[in-house]
Amino acid sequence: MFLQSLKMAWKAILSNKLRSLLTMLGIIIGVVALVVLVSLVSSATSSVQNDINSIGRDMMSVNIESTDASTALDSSDLDQIAALDGVGAVAPVKNVSGSAKEGTESYNVSAVGTTNAYFGIEGYGLAHGRYLLKADQDNNSYVVVLSNNAAAAIYGRTDVVGETFVFDETHYTVVGVLAAQDTTGAMSSMYTVYIPYSIAERVSNASSSSGSGFGGSASSSSSSASGITSFYVSAASSDQIDVAKSSLDAWLLNHFGSSEDYYISDSSAIADTMASVTNTFALLLGGIAAISLLVGGIGIMNIMLVSVTERTREIGIRKAIGARRRSILLQFLIEALVVCLIGCAIGLVLSGLIIIVVDLVSGSLTYGLSLPVMLIAVLFSLVIGIIFGVYPARKAARLEPIEALRYE
Amino acid sequence: MADPKVVIEFVDVYKIYQVGDSEVRALDGVSFQVRQGEFASIVGPSGSGKSTTMQIMGCLDLATYGTYYLDGKPVSNYGEDELADIRNRKIGFVFQNFNLIGKMTLEENVELPLIYAGVGREERAPRVRQALERVDLWGRHQHTPLEVSGGQQQRCAIARALVTEPELILGDEPTGNLDSHTSAEILALFAELNREGKTIVLITHDDHIAAQTHRRIRIMDGKVAADEELDADRHPEPSTRHPELDSGAHPEKIAGGARNDEGAKLRKSGKAVA
């Protein structure tokens, strides 16, 4: 009986190919939207997660929320922190953004004011020249280390040691260029350069006292706080991260007297945040795609209702020669299901092709079809087929034979 | 004649439709019997209730009041599925407009009742072939209904009615859409099937057709107006004696005329066939 219904359904679908295809289109688009969007997001999520993990799980960043000048940290405090149990290195960080000029071009640049330890903590390698040194800090030298992509963008080459770098009207000497990074952490379109912490402090103070004089003037990331407001800490080794974190926490609590005055974030916290953001994205996109599947289902119901009306006479004949209600119900339900599943299959194949194309185009990220999402798509199509197939099928099954036979 | 068992028995059957506030009595107390092996016709002009009689007889519809016994069992006791099974196994339908499914080949059309009967694939093929051979259509079985003539379509419909080997064949104006030559062919086929033992009831408005059956039940205004044994071989066609019966334009007059003229042969409803 089931096999016969399947055969009948198949025949009915083939007998009106264009209409069947148009009916399937809703499901196809829904499945493609669901599978492609969620696959892209989850691939992106896992690659970002990998990046975060590769940055190193042995790193923490500390932000000081307190604006109290009496507890402000200075470099001697950082020296104390560096000596704590489990702690490897400490580097202060002050971000200053501004514009760099080379020839007639100007570039948005994010300058990180820091010390030598920073490069060790971040694990950055050198392509040319040297890192920032303690001497640069002590002498307040206007020197700069460029990130690889900044050097490439501004000078068109990376061996630019000794060149003059103009940042916010101030001349710096390029002393080093970092090795190229293969991370995708380009969250902003800004280029990153590194200058001595003392210089960054000076730039920041100058701009906050003079206000924003003209467009592109430097602005400090934390305007009012004095002292070191942000620093990176690395653990002595990756298995010491928890020890380092707890001793750091104890020291800071002792220093400030309140856990509200500082905030420690480590890479796992960043990863968690990223994961929750991307999960939200996946849910959002998946939800939109699910709605389009739902619309596809309504399309199926619409066509099935038309089909039932069109075939009223056929249903009457079938009933007259002995078809039970169940047989008619099964026939139409299976027809709806088959339409749904064929649509789903076509959708999955299309999704695969789209992902392959996206892979070829994007190059850097590798996307893959997410198996759970494919399963969800198939299940969803089945459920939609049943939900939107049952009503027309019941309508067909409940037709009175004489009424149906009389139908023209 | 020995008394073969009663296949169809209508006892005071009413079919009443509610149309707005007024009720329409399509059947107004119909009683008759058909015995196994009979070749009967139910005649009447359109609107007389003969189609309603046919629908109730064929278990396509149920009586409002009264009882229809099929094979001695009241049909009103059956559920939806049992009625479907009766239509499938006990009754073969032949309709005026053939009612074949256009998208299917003749073979598939004939196969359909067997599928609903749950007959296995291996058993279906020979039975379909046998039924199509019986009506001389084997060889055209791969054609669709639209590719064959009306007479062939109706023969296919007869094959479909025969394939489940029902004891009762109901024909609802089976020759209504056919030319006279083809009609004669189809009627001959019905007569042949009757000789082979099938109980056959034809519904028609045409006395020429009715005259070729062995018994004529005349329905007028929802009542049995006449019920007579016919002997097609010995008597001339009734319609030649009563031309007004063919018109169907004046049912009251015909009903009266039929009662008066056919006198002795006419038996009142309910007491048909002693």
Side-chain angles (χ1 to χ4, degrees), chain A residues 172-193:
Chain A
Y172 294 77
T173 305
V174 177
V175 295
V177 175
L178 297 180
Q181 301 291 312
D182 59 350
T183 62
T184 54
M187 291 297 180
S188 74
S189 59
M190 283 187 148
Y191 300 111
T192 309
V193 303

Side-chain angles (χ1 to χ4, degrees), chain A residues 51-359:
Chain A
D51 282 347
I52 289 169
N53 290 345
S54 72
I55 287 170
R57 301 189 54 81
D58 55 350
M59 187 194 116
M60 291 171 280
S61 82
V62 179
N63 282 299
I64 307 302
E65 315 274 335
S66 167
T67 52
D68 186 349
S70 66
T71 56
L73 298 176
D74 58 24
S75 59
S76 67
D77 292 319
L78 293 196
D79 291 342
Q80 282 185 42
I81 291 170
L84 291 173
D85 228 13
V87 172
V90 180
V93 171
K94 185 171 285 290
N95 288 301
V96 185
S97 59
S99 62
K101 278 212 173 65
E102 168 61 24
T104 55
E105 298 284 331
S106 128
Y107 305 86
N108 284 329
V109 164
S110 164
V112 178
T114 188
T115 61
N116 180 269
Y118 180 87
F119 303 96
I121 294 170
E122 287 279 25
Y124 290 160
L126 266 180
H128 303 282
R130 60 169 177 85
Y131 295 120
L132 296 174
L133 296 177
K134 187 167 184 303
D136 299 324
Q137 172 85 5
D138 295 344
N139 300 337
N140 292 332
S141 316
Y142 283 86
V143 293
V144 63
V145 172
L146 304 180
S147 63
N148 198 276
N149 65 341
I154 295 167
Y155 296 98
R157 60 199 166 88
T158 56
D159 54 338
V160 290
V161 174
E163 293 281 343
T164 303
F165 179 76
V166 184
F167 177 64
D168 275 331
E169 323 283 296
T170 312
H171 290 63
Y172 294 77
T173 305
V174 177
V175 295
V177 175
L178 297 180
Q181 301 291 312
D182 59 350
T183 62
T184 54
M187 291 297 180
S188 74
S189 59
M190 283 187 148
Y191 300 111
T192 309
V193 303
Y194 306 90
I195 55 177
Y197 184 79
S198 53
I199 302 295
E201 231 173 1
R202 200 177 281 182
V203 170
S204 165
N205 289 340
S207 71
S208 59
S209 57
S210 69
S212 49
F214 46 85
S217 108
S219 65
S220 160
S221 61
S222 58
S223 52
S224 59
S226 55
I228 296 166
T229 54
S230 173
F231 58 93
Y232 286 8
V233 178
S234 70
S237 63
S238 56
D239 54 353
Q240 296 266 53
I241 182 78
D242 292 330
V243 180
K245 194 175 181 183
S246 61
S247 55
L248 176 64
D249 197 38
W251 189 91
L252 288 168
L253 187 60
N254 179 47
H255 184 85
F256 290 104
S258 159
S259 61
E260 308 232 315
D261 285 343
Y262 60 91
Y263 179 72
I264 305 173
S265 59
D266 55 16
S267 59
S268 68
I270 298 170
D272 288 349
T273 313
M274 274 308 294
S276 86
V277 167
T278 49
N279 277 342
T280 311
F281 257 106
L283 273 178
L284 197 74
L285 293 175
I288 292 169
I291 289 171
S292 70
L293 257 180
L294 206 69
V295 172
I298 293 169
I300 284 188
M301 177 151 85
N302 191 9
I303 293 298
M304 290 305 293
L305 283 173
V306 170
S307 174
V308 167
T309 308
E310 264 185 5
R311 280 146 75 187
T312 299
R313 196 177 178 80
E314 179 192 322
I315 294 163
I317 295 170
R318 288 174 183 273
K319 288 201 137 189
I321 61 173
R324 291 179 168 201
R325 271 188 182 177
R326 226 172 56 93
S327 313
I328 304 284
L329 185 90
L330 210 61
Q331 183 191 340
F332 280 87
L333 189 57
I334 285 176
E335 196 175 318
L337 271 182
V338 168
V339 167
C340 263
L341 287 181
I342 292 177
C344 182
I346 295 175
L348 287 180
V349 171
L350 275 181
S351 305
L353 291 177
I354 289 172
I355 295 276
I356 289 171
V357 169
V358 167
D359 244 356

Side-chain angles (χ1 to χ4, degrees), chain A residues 1 3-4 7-8 11-12 15 311 313-314 317-328 331 397 400-402 405-406 408, chain B residues 17 55 59-61 80-82 84-85 87-88 93 95 97 99-101 103-105 108-109 111-113 115-116 121 124 160:
Chain A
M1 193 67 242
L3 209 73
Q4 285 300 333
K7 238 170 104 181
M8 287 174 194
K11 271 205 140 153
S15 74
R311 280 146 75 187
R313 196 177 178 80
E314 179 192 322
I317 295 170
R318 288 174 183 273
K319 288 201 137 189
I321 61 173
R324 291 179 168 201
R325 271 188 182 177
R326 226 172 56 93
S327 313
I328 304 284
Q331 183 191 340
E400 288 299 330
I402 45 166
L405 277 176
R406 219 177 278 149
E408 287 303 328
Chain B
Y17 295 103
Q55 283 156 5
C59 296
L60 289 167
D61 203 356
E80 184 91 21
D81 283 350
E82 284 162 312
D85 290 349
R87 291 197 291 268
N88 187 233
F93 286 99
F95 298 96
N97 49 10
N99 274 339
L100 298 172
I101 296 178
K103 287 173 292 185
M104 298 180 158
T105 63
E108 286 166 332
N109 267 289
E111 188 184 14
L112 208 51
I115 290 172
Y116 289 126
R121 176 188 293 276
R124 287 204 299 267
R160 183 180 65 185

